[in-house]
Amino acid sequence: MNNTALETLNFYMTDLAKVKFEDLELIARNCRSLVSVKISDFEILDLVDFFRAAVMLEEFCGGSFNQEPEKYNAVSLPQKLCRLGLTYMEKNEMPIVFPFASLLKKLDLLYALLDTEDHCTLIQKCPSLEVLETRNVIGDRGLEVLARSCKRLKRLRIERGADEQGMEDEGGLVSQRGLIALAQGCLELEYLAVYVSDITNSSLECMGTYSKNLCDFRLVLLDREERITDLPLDNGVRALMRGCEKLRRFALYLRPGGLTDVGLGYIGRYSQNIRWMLLGYVGESDAGLLEFSRGCPSLRKLEMRGCCFSEQALAAAVMHLTSLRYLWVQGYRASATAPGRDLLAMVRPFWNIELIPSRRVAVPALIGEALVDHPAHILAYYSLAGQRTDFPDTVIPLDPEAVPE
């Protein structure tokens, strides 16, 4: 294996016997250009010699902390390290990051065991941060610290962590308060993926005003709170999409009542350059979907969940979306007489249509099994190879000749 092949080295191991610590040290000593290593649950203390040898290392992800916190004082990370993700890091292990925190451009905290205050403490030491990945335990307070401290931030990914540490009080929730602070403080933001517990039109309007570089926006409204402050989000979505003209990818997953037909029409009208879109629980009727489909001239891939639209409207929308190459729909209204019949209106050469009927599935429960309803699905896509033949039992390919008139 030559130096070029080792410049970026990834170990995704579940069987740690496959790679020895000595191998890592040997690699580092013999490949001075090694810049990236991603491993599994190696104890950090066992990597001290490796870190000493890997003088050119810029990225490290993985590791684990299984010893008393004071023992990690002996760990010294490479001086050029600027992209970091430490697995299972807790508050007491954070000091090993502090000496070079000001140089960090990327920080992955998805698997760190930090609460809201820990996030605030660490983030404010990282003024050069451009990429942050974490869970919504960061909270609104963490986002406010991020907005004040990290003016160069370009990418922010906040995953769901509803049942994890720090989520039992308001400190571990992300809402309109955090989004407003982020929009006003991080003007270079290009990518945002976030799960929120509450949302308002004004927070989306704020993003439309300040987040002019946003290319990829993904927001999921959690069902944690019974009451959401400000629904529907029609005006906020309009302001967001009018203001963020660079958007190419867009995802909005709400709850029933989150967006009316008017709001869905706004998405279509102001999606001139969007190529991928995921929509969940938006719109009220077929009229909203048809208005949406009169826009989106660049849309190639569309996914819809919690769909309230009929087969007839879906087929008509596809015919309007002339750039569309892939469609996935969950929970639509099937034809009353023959499921799939009204979808025939979108049949065309090389356009494959597959149906997955609704069904009840038994899943393990605390006592015995519970029956869970799986809504019907539609999958449609272009393929020059024709219809596939490896269907699972739950999938029915739509054959125009076999559907009753």
Side-chain angles (χ1 to χ4, degrees):
M1 190 177 292
N2 56 34
N3 283 5
T4 301
L6 288 173
E7 285 181 357
T8 300
L9 182 67
N10 297 331
F11 290 114
Y12 293 107
M13 293 295 182
T14 54
D15 182 1
L16 297 184
K18 293 181 180 178
V19 177
K20 299 179 181 179
F21 302 124
E22 294 83 355
D23 295 333
L24 284 176
E25 295 162 19
L26 180 63
I27 289 168
R29 286 196 300 270
N30 288 278
C31 182
R32 308 301 290 181
S33 59
L34 183 66
V35 295
S36 176
V37 171
K38 299 179 182 179
I39 62 175
S40 186
D41 296 341
F42 281 99
E43 165 58 52
I44 291 292
L45 288 175
D46 293 324
L47 296 174
V48 171
D49 290 339
F50 166 71
F51 288 137
R52 187 178 297 117
V55 294
M56 301 298 290
L57 197 66
E58 298 178 5
E59 179 178 35
F60 177 81
C61 294
S64 62
F65 300 86
N66 304 302
Q67 303 295 327
E68 294 78 9
E70 58 272 11
K71 291 186 177 181
Y72 294 101
N73 294 332
V75 177
S76 179
L77 297 175
Q79 294 298 310
K80 291 184 177 290
L81 204 63
C82 59
R83 301 187 299 276
L84 179 67
L86 293 175
T87 309
Y88 310 130
M89 178 177 68
E90 298 187 53
K91 177 179 182 178
N92 292 328
E93 287 86 43
M94 283 199 306
I96 73 170
V97 181
F98 293 164
F100 61 95
S102 63
L103 303 176
L104 285 178
K105 294 182 179 180
K106 179 180 178 180
L107 185 59
D108 183 347
L109 300 178
L110 286 172
Y111 301 103
L113 304 178
L114 305 179
D115 61 18
T116 304
E117 290 304 319
D118 299 333
H119 276 77
C120 295
T121 299
L122 181 55
I123 288 170
Q124 66 184 356
K125 297 179 182 295
C126 305
S128 301
L129 207 60
E130 297 178 3
V131 180
L132 175 63
E133 299 182 355
T134 185
R135 305 184 314 279
N136 52 6
V137 69
I138 189 174
D140 286 336
R141 280 183 291 134
L143 289 183
E144 289 169 343
V145 171
L146 186 67
R148 290 195 301 269
S149 305
C150 305
K151 299 299 183 181
R152 303 177 190 174
L153 191 72
K154 290 182 172 59
R155 294 179 61 88
L156 175 61
R157 175 185 170 197
I158 303 176
E159 287 289 344
R160 183 175 187 173
D163 299 321
E164 300 179 48
Q165 180 183 3
M167 292 300 294
E168 295 302 321
D169 56 37
E170 294 183 359
L173 302 178
V174 173
S175 72
Q176 59 271 7
R177 173 183 149 196
L179 292 184
I180 290 173
L182 184 70
Q184 294 176 339
C186 300
L187 302 183
E188 296 184 20
L189 195 66
E190 299 173 359
Y191 170 96
L192 174 63
V194 59
Y195 287 80
V196 298
S197 297
D198 199 2
I199 189 70
T200 59
N201 280 281
S202 60
S203 61
L204 296 178
E205 290 166 1
C206 188
M207 298 208 71
T209 300
Y210 293 99
S211 302
K212 298 299 184 181
N213 292 311
L214 204 60
C215 301
D216 193 330
F217 176 82
R218 311 179 190 201
L219 182 142
V220 176
L221 177 60
L222 297 170
D223 56 5
R224 176 187 175 95
E225 302 297 326
E226 182 176 347
R227 181 182 178 276
I228 301 302
T229 302
D230 188 18
L231 294 181
L233 297 173
D234 296 353
N235 292 334
V237 166
R238 177 179 58 181
L240 170 73
M241 306 198 76
R242 289 182 67 181
C244 302
E245 296 180 350
K246 295 182 180 180
L247 277 176
R248 298 295 183 273
R249 299 172 70 84
F250 179 76
L252 189 67
Y253 195 103
L254 302 174
R255 60 172 65 178
L259 200 73
T260 70
D261 283 346
V262 172
L264 187 54
Y266 288 152
I267 293 179
R269 186 182 310 171
Y270 299 112
S271 295
Q272 293 299 309
N273 300 309
I274 293 179
R275 297 170 63 86
W276 171 86
M277 193 179 297
L278 179 135
L279 301 173
Y281 294 98
V282 298
E284 305 163 290
S285 69
D286 287 352
L289 178 64
L290 294 175
E291 182 63 27
F292 162 83
S293 69
R294 293 186 178 98
C296 303
S298 304
L299 191 62
R300 297 180 64 85
K301 185 174 182 179
L302 175 62
E303 302 177 35
M304 290 189 288
R305 302 180 184 180
C307 174
C308 65
F309 311 118
S310 69
E311 286 185 5
Q312 186 177 19
L314 288 167
V318 168
M319 299 307 292
H320 287 150
L321 297 167
T322 55
S323 296
L324 199 66
R325 296 295 180 268
Y326 176 95
L327 173 72
W328 183 83
V329 179
Q330 177 198 66
Y332 66 100
R333 287 188 285 117
S335 301
T337 54
R341 183 191 63 184
D342 290 335
L343 294 175
L344 293 177
M346 66 175 176
V347 168
R348 68 189 80 169
F350 308 113
W351 181 248
N352 299 325
I353 306 172
E354 301 173 8
L355 308 180
I356 305 174
S358 60
R359 64 194 190 281
R360 305 196 77 186
V361 178
V363 298
L366 292 177
I367 301 178
E369 292 183 336
L371 292 176
V372 176
D373 290 326
H374 283 220
H377 295 241
I378 297 171
L379 176 63
Y381 55 94
Y382 268 112
S383 174
L384 297 178
Q387 190 72 265
R388 64 189 177 116
T389 58
D390 58 342
F391 297 106
D393 294 339
T394 54
V395 174
I396 301 173
L398 184 61
D399 181 357
E401 297 182 358
V403 177
E405 292 295 333

